[in-house]
């Protein structure tokens, strides 16, 4: 079996450098916000987390298409790891967003804010991914159903954002609009570097997860081959690709 | 299409002979109206509140049908027979979506008069066609997503759990559009014209999901 994870060391170093540089810029270079002061700096964490996690969900759907087209298990692994990581990132993103909302709007949660609400709906939807996998025992069927779900849920992300956006007048600041946003240059540079850092972090963590899972599968296979079928306990029910 | 029509006829005949799903949906809908009457402490509702109560009740009644949709096929070997037959698999999707749509319409035939009788604001006659248009589009969305979710859930161990937790978030955009679109229609003396924005959103949502479901449904039937 060949591993599908390559360039792990290079990616790790690039991530470490970018994230460090982004944090240095956030704390020492980017100017303090005139209205919100220091709290505004959480923006450089919260927004990249949110953007990267949403892209990650859509990516899970794209990998799902890959699995349905080719039937290769590695696509299922990619889809699973992308959605798993996105879930972690988006929980971090929504907590960071809540802290920021409390500081700048005075409320932990605002129903009048479509970006928050649609983000919550997306998280609720993807929270069902693991229970769905867990309740299907046959690994091949599990992978197929999970891929179908990932495709539909990935397409759901943009639709949901459009519908919720239409339903309320928003107060959320629009960072990235067609006119290039309302940020001064130094903030923009910091923001884009943070975004790159978080995206690289996502890719690195996803690859580590894939590497660990593939290693575990490979170890089991080798133990089976060396010690005989009976020496290795059968795997219990699991939600992850196995 | 002939295959789909055959399966649809079979489903409707089974429902007519057993009277299993639709009467339960009627009962659930009416009971939910009573619950809302006491829960909200109001005799009549209007505007957004009326739209929300109506939409949520119909959605939860629909959940009953979604949970039952494929159970007979699974338990009595309908899936195996269908897979053995040399027919297009998408026919199953169209048949089941049609059946679910008709179940939802049948529920509304009773639930809507019950709502008008129990909770609705008086003098709603003029906005009735617009309300029906919204409900038809919403039913279509629920039927498409419901069939899709039901086909996933029926093969899982905890199917009664998986169906609703998958289906409700996926249906939230339809719920938002229906509840917001119905709100201006459910005030006394409302005009007949429906909010075009929400009609367009619902139609778009139905279309996108139908395309996705048709494209992906085959994968849910393979053995």
């Amino acid at each position: 079996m060949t591993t599908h994870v390559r360039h792990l060391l290079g990616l790790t170093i690039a991530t470490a450098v970018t994230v460090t540089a982004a944090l240095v810029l956030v704390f020492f270079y980017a100017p303090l916000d005139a209205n919100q002061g220091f709290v505004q700096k959480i923006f450089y964490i919260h927004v990249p987390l949110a953007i990267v996690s949403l892209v990650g969900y859509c990516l899970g759907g794209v990998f799902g298409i890959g699995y349905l087209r080719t039937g290769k298990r590695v696509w299922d692994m990619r889809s699973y790891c992308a959605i798993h990581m996105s879930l972690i990132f988006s929980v971090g993103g929504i907590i960071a967003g809540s802290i920021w909302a409390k500081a700048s709007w005075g409320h932990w949660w605002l129903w009048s804010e479509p970006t928050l609400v649609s983000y919550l709906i997306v998280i609720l939807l993807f929270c069902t991914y693991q229970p769905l996998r867990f309740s299907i025992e046959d690994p091949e069927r599990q992978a197929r159903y999970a891929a179908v779900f990932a495709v539909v849920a990935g397409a759901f992300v943009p639709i949901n954002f459009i519908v919720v956006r239409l339903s309320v007048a928003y107060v959320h600041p629009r960072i990235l609009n067609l006119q290039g946003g309302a940020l001064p240059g130094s903030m923009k540079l910091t923001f884009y570097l943070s975004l790159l850092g978080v995206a690289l972090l996502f890719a690195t963590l996803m690859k580590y997860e894939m590497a660990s899972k593939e290693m575990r599968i490979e170890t089991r296979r080798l133990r089976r081959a060396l010690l005989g079928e009976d020496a290795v306990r059968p795997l219990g029910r699991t939600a992850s690709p196995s | 299409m002939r295959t789909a029509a055959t399966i649809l006829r079979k489903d409707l005949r089974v429902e007519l002979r057993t009277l299993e799903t639709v009467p339960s949906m009627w009962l659930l809908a009416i009971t939910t109206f009573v619950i809302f009457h006491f829960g909200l402490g109001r005799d009549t509702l209007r505007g957004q509140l009326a739209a929300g109560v109506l939409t949520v009740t119909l959605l939860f009644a629909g959940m009953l049908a979604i949970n039952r949709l494929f159970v007979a096929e699974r338990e009595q070997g309908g899936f195996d027979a269908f897979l053995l037959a040399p027919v297009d698999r998408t026919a199953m999707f169209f048949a089941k979506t049609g059946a679910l749509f008709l179940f939802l319409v049948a529920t509304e035939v009773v639930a809507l008069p019950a709502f008008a009788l129990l909770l609705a604001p008086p003098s709603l006659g003029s906005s009735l066609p617009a309300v029906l248009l919204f409900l038809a589009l919403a039913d279509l969305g629920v039927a498409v997503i419901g069939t899709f979710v039901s086909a996933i859930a029926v093969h899982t161990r905890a199917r009664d759990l998986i169906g609703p937790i998958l289906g409700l978030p996926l249906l939230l955009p339809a719920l938002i559009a229906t509840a917001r679109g119905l709100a201006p229609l459910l005030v006394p003396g409302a005009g007949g014209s429906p909010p075009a924005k929400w009609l367009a959103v619902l139609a778009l949502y139905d279309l996108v999901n139908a395309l996705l479901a048709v494209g992906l449904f085959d994968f849910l039937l393979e053995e």
Side-chain angles (χ1 to χ4, degrees):
Chain A
M1 178 182 155
T2 53
T3 173
H4 294 92
V5 180
R6 279 182 288 271
H7 314 302
L8 199 49
L9 183 66
L11 195 61
T12 310
I13 293 170
T15 307
V17 170
T18 318
V19 169
T20 315
L23 285 178
V24 168
L25 284 195
V26 167
F27 286 111
F28 299 109
Y29 171 70
L32 277 184
D33 187 88
N35 293 324
Q36 301 175 19
F38 187 74
V39 168
Q40 182 265 345
K41 287 192 189 291
I42 203 171
F43 150 85
Y44 299 111
I45 308 294
H46 157 68
V47 180
L49 277 178
I51 292 177
V52 169
S53 64
L54 290 175
V55 172
Y57 287 134
C58 294
L59 216 56
V62 174
F63 293 149
I65 295 177
Y67 178 74
L68 292 177
R69 286 178 66 98
T70 63
K72 293 209 175 94
R73 295 305 297 270
V74 60
W75 287 107
D76 180 44
M77 181 78 88
R78 286 186 183 127
S79 180
Y80 174 85
C81 292
I83 290 176
H84 188 203
M85 257 329 134
S86 297
L87 207 50
I88 296 171
F89 273 50
S90 54
V91 169
I94 206 164
I95 291 173
S98 200
I99 295 171
W100 190 22
K102 177 67 182 167
S104 78
W105 301 326
H107 298 280
W108 294 107
W109 186 258
L110 273 186
W111 280 112
S112 57
E113 179 27 59
T115 316
L116 278 181
V117 177
S118 36
Y119 200 54
L120 178 71
I121 296 173
V122 167
I123 293 179
L124 282 177
L125 177 64
F126 277 94
C127 278
T128 64
Y129 181 71
Q130 307 259 354
L132 170 67
R133 292 193 73 116
F134 191 67
S135 68
I136 303 174
E137 268 169 285
D138 174 34
E140 198 269 335
R141 186 190 285 272
Q142 185 191 75
R144 188 151 37 81
Y145 278 39
V148 169
F149 172 79
V151 175
V152 172
F156 174 85
V157 171
I159 302 177
N160 176 52
F161 265 76
I162 294 169
V163 172
V164 179
R165 171 79 42 93
L166 283 172
S167 73
V168 251
Y170 43 78
V171 295
H172 212 95
R174 293 271 85 80
I175 311 299
L176 301 167
N177 57 21
L178 290 175
Q179 284 79 45
L183 290 178
S186 57
M187 282 184 165
K188 208 182 281 178
L189 175 70
T190 313
F191 171 70
Y192 282 124
L193 197 67
S194 303
L195 185 60
L196 182 68
V198 173
L200 281 173
L201 185 67
F202 180 89
T204 311
L205 289 177
M206 188 186 138
K207 277 186 176 266
Y208 269 112
E209 191 184 3
M210 277 181 67
S212 132
K213 285 200 191 313
E214 288 190 328
M215 191 74 80
R216 210 169 55 201
I217 293 170
E218 181 68 1
T219 317
R220 278 184 65 81
R221 197 184 62 78
L222 288 176
R223 278 172 62 94
R224 271 233 177 83
L226 282 174
L227 305 173
E229 293 287 330
D230 301 334
V232 187
R233 272 194 300 131
L235 212 57
R237 210 143 60 92
T238 165
S240 72
S242 57
Chain B
M1 270 303 114
R2 270 189 52 222
T3 322
T6 311
I7 301 174
L8 178 59
R9 256 203 316 278
K10 185 268 295 173
D11 276 350
L12 294 181
R13 186 168 300 154
V14 168
E15 177 59 30
L16 276 178
R17 292 201 181 153
T18 59
L19 290 179
E20 203 174 44
T21 309
V22 173
S24 320
M25 293 164 79
W26 291 339
L27 283 178
L28 185 92
I30 295 171
T31 314
T32 311
F33 291 143
V34 176
I35 291 172
F36 270 122
H37 160 72
F38 287 107
L40 298 173
R42 306 261 183 101
D43 294 340
T44 58
L45 304 175
R46 63 179 58 200
Q48 191 65 67
L49 205 53
V53 164
L54 182 62
T55 320
V56 168
T57 304
L58 293 176
L59 181 69
F60 285 162
M63 277 294 151
L64 288 185
I66 291 174
N67 270 340
R68 302 291 308 166
L69 196 59
F70 283 100
V71 169
E73 312 295 345
R74 168 103 166 137
E75 285 175 355
Q76 295 162 20
F79 275 129
D80 299 333
F82 181 76
L83 287 175
L84 283 174
V87 291
D88 185 12
R89 287 171 185 172
T90 320
M92 176 76 101
F93 172 76
F94 287 119
K96 290 293 180 181
T97 308
L100 187 51
F101 181 79
L102 290 178
F103 288 175
L104 291 167
V105 170
T107 307
E108 279 152 16
V109 166
V110 169
L112 213 54
F115 179 73
L117 191 72
L118 296 173
L119 289 173
S123 70
L124 270 181
S126 61
S127 54
L128 188 63
V131 171
L132 293 182
L133 182 63
F134 258 106
L135 288 181
L137 276 177
D139 287 349
L140 199 60
V142 174
V144 168
I145 286 289
T147 308
F148 177 75
V149 163
S150 184
I152 291 183
V154 76
H155 287 295
T156 62
R157 284 161 55 98
R159 65 172 171 241
D160 299 342
L161 284 174
I162 295 291
I165 63 167
L166 279 188
L168 287 177
L170 279 176
L171 284 171
L172 263 171
L175 178 81
I176 295 171
T178 314
R180 286 293 158 98
L182 284 179
L185 299 172
L186 293 180
V187 288
S193 69
K197 178 172 88 170
W198 294 116
L199 274 182
V201 168
L202 258 182
L204 186 74
Y205 172 86
D206 291 358
L207 183 71
V208 171
N209 281 319
L211 289 176
L212 276 173
V214 168
L216 292 169
F217 194 74
D218 280 12
F219 294 106
L220 298 178
L221 286 184
E222 275 170 33
E223 270 313 307

